[in-house]
Amino acid sequence: MSILDELARKLVICGYTLVLSDWRETITSCRRGVAPLLGLIEEKRDVSGWYAADKAVGKAAAALYAVLGVAGVYACRISEAGLAMLRKCGIAAVYDSLVPVMKDRSGNGICPMEDATADLASPEECLEAIKKKAALLAARTTR
């Protein structure tokens, strides 16, 4: 069984939203969206060369995986822009479902992070846009 197969199994069976591993160590999360990936970046956690399993990978998450330097990603659901970003950055991608665009949590519109990164080319540009959008969304929920 490959590492991505094992991580995908753990993701589904244990109900995580994210599983990262290098075989020696595993990081799991039940947090939604890009929050766990932003957390790893903010902590300056070195996961370069690791593999990830994620419930949903849009362009924003794909850009964050590139910034983190992961080697491969399994996604239950991935957007076309997310897949394109992973491929552009040389990150192996395996997925169950390819969708045109990531929807927001209500299912009625585009995911705000997907929207924030739509016209950006590099993972670094995306990271800055994601941080700004995350701060804006956090400010809205604390009112």
Side-chain angles (χ1 to χ4, degrees):
M1 180 178 285
S2 78
I3 190 166
L4 284 177
D5 290 335
E6 179 61 28
L7 296 180
R9 189 179 71 71
K10 191 171 200 169
L11 181 83
V12 173
I13 290 173
C14 299
Y16 295 119
T17 57
L18 173 67
V19 181
L20 284 150
S21 185
D22 66 350
W23 280 126
R24 295 180 304 257
E25 183 181 358
T26 300
I27 297 169
T28 60
S29 179
C30 291
R31 295 169 66 198
R32 294 171 67 172
V34 297
L37 300 176
L38 278 176
L40 291 169
I41 290 168
E42 289 167 5
E43 295 166 12
K44 297 186 182 348
R45 181 67 195 259
D46 182 10
V47 294
S48 57
W50 286 37
Y51 292 85
D54 197 319
K55 286 186 76 172
V57 176
K59 184 175 180 182
L64 296 179
Y65 282 122
V67 169
L68 288 164
V70 301
V73 174
Y74 158 80
C76 295
R77 187 175 69 252
I78 192 167
S79 71
E80 291 172 355
L83 181 58
M85 176 65 77
L86 291 177
R87 287 181 173 162
K88 173 183 167 184
C89 295
I91 299 170
V94 177
Y95 54 89
D96 291 333
S97 176
L98 178 65
V99 297
V101 67
M102 280 296 160
K103 298 278 188 173
D104 63 13
R105 291 184 182 152
S106 73
N108 295 322
I110 188 170
C111 165
M113 295 300 177
E114 187 103 338
D115 189 45
T117 58
D119 297 325
L120 304 176
S122 76
E124 295 75 21
E125 287 176 302
C126 290
L127 174 59
E128 293 311 310
I130 293 163
K131 286 180 179 179
K132 287 178 186 172
K133 181 60 87 171
L136 179 66
L137 292 173
R140 282 188 196 163
T141 60
T142 58
R143 287 186 205 176

